Amino acid sequence: QQPVQSPQAVILREGEDAVINCSSSKALYSVHWYRQKHGEAPVFLMILLKGGEQKGHEKISASFNEKKQQSSLYLTASQLSYSGTYFCGTARGGYNKLIFGAGTRLAVHP
Amino acid sequence: GAGVSQSPRYKVTKRGQDVALRCDPISGHVSLYWYRQALGQGPEFLTYFNYEAQQDKSGLPNDRFSAERPEGSISTLTIQRTEQRDSAMYRCASSPLGQGLSYEQYFGPGTRLTVT
């Protein structure tokens, strides 16, 4: 039931864009995105809810295709601070039991 | 304000010993979650609470693992008769509201458990 993330790793130059995908074989209620820097705790980025509502705290956008059980995270004009591992967590019901993907490692270089 | 705190941050124990890992959630947060995270992997769900009630413990690996949150605030994850395969980072997270809604989770710094 673990969602599948792609790509596994991305290397960018500052200012470049990237898309990280998350797909599930099960119907989803919500998709959560987190970023984790080395040696630190995961930090919340965004929630996408069934029905189209989005909640986020940073200038990062995402989409959620309920029919395909897929979500994509869009990182535009990347900054050095975007480096880290991005995890999607999926919830099937209206509560927060999250199943996380294996992560996408993003490295942004000057 | 204060975030989620966990103690101890590092724990080394010998095989067969019991360990208790503590989580102090953000004040007022209703839901509390326990995860285990292997190096280079995403967090793996173990169990979660709304207030003091354990809502789901389907992720606990076996009956050596248990968790409680008796007063709806601090939680303890206990591992009995530890084995080397229990070595991992154990993370706690809390969120503001409970079942029926989907809210962001705030993760603690984790407890790095090493079983020798």
Side-chain angles (χ1 to χ4, degrees):
Chain A
Q1 292 187 356
Q2 182 182 40
V4 176
Q5 289 188 232
S6 63
Q8 289 185 327
V10 183
I11 299 174
L12 298 176
R13 294 265 182 215
E14 263 188 301
E16 293 182 337
D17 302 339
V19 179
I20 300 173
N21 300 302
C22 174
S23 64
S24 173
S25 59
K26 305 287 186 182
L28 301 176
Y29 177 82
S30 64
V31 179
H32 300 221
W33 286 96
Y34 289 79
R35 178 172 62 212
Q36 185 174 27
K37 293 184 180 288
H38 183 69
E40 298 180 7
V43 174
F44 168 77
L45 294 176
M46 180 165 293
I47 291 176
L48 300 108
L49 301 171
K50 187 176 179 179
E53 183 180 354
Q54 296 186 14
K55 293 187 284 184
H57 297 296
E58 295 191 22
K59 296 180 182 177
I60 294 175
S61 62
S63 63
F64 180 22
N65 186 323
E66 297 168 28
K67 288 185 179 179
K68 293 185 177 180
Q69 290 100 243
Q70 292 177 349
S71 177
S72 294
L73 187 70
Y74 304 98
L75 305 170
T76 58
S78 59
Q79 305 170 17
L80 296 176
S81 62
Y82 285 10
S83 293
T85 301
Y86 289 76
F87 294 103
C88 69
T90 56
R92 294 189 58 199
Y95 63 99
N96 273 357
K97 176 182 176 179
L98 294 180
I99 307 300
F100 284 91
T104 295
R105 291 183 181 78
L106 176 71
V108 182
H109 297 288
Chain B
V4 177
S5 61
Q6 293 185 243
S7 61
R9 294 290 307 277
Y10 302 90
K11 178 69 177 179
V12 180
T13 190
K14 292 187 176 180
R15 184 164 52 94
Q17 297 293 307
D18 298 350
V19 295
L21 312 181
R22 172 185 164 128
C23 172
D24 198 343
I26 292 172
S27 178
H29 275 196
V30 168
S31 299
L32 185 148
Y33 310 82
W34 282 101
Y35 294 90
R36 181 168 64 179
Q37 188 173 20
L39 201 60
Q41 296 296 312
E44 174 194 8
F45 171 83
L46 295 177
T47 185
Y48 95 98
F49 295 82
N50 280 342
Y51 300 102
E52 72 282 357
Q54 191 171 22
Q55 298 292 321
D56 188 326
K57 55 181 182 179
S58 61
L60 295 177
N62 51 60
D63 60 9
R64 294 186 297 105
F65 287 73
S66 63
E68 62 175 8
R69 193 186 184 198
E71 298 180 357
S73 179
I74 293 169
S75 177
T76 302
L77 177 70
T78 301
I79 309 173
Q80 296 178 315
R81 305 180 302 281
T82 52
E83 301 177 4
Q84 284 189 326
R85 59 178 172 157
D86 299 334
S87 296
M89 175 72 81
Y90 289 84
R91 292 196 189 275
C92 168
S94 69
S95 70
L97 290 178
Q99 186 166 343
L101 295 169
S102 196
Y103 279 80
E104 62 269 29
Q105 297 183 20
Y106 297 85
F107 282 82
T111 295
R112 169 73 66 189
L113 175 65
T114 303
V115 183
T116 62

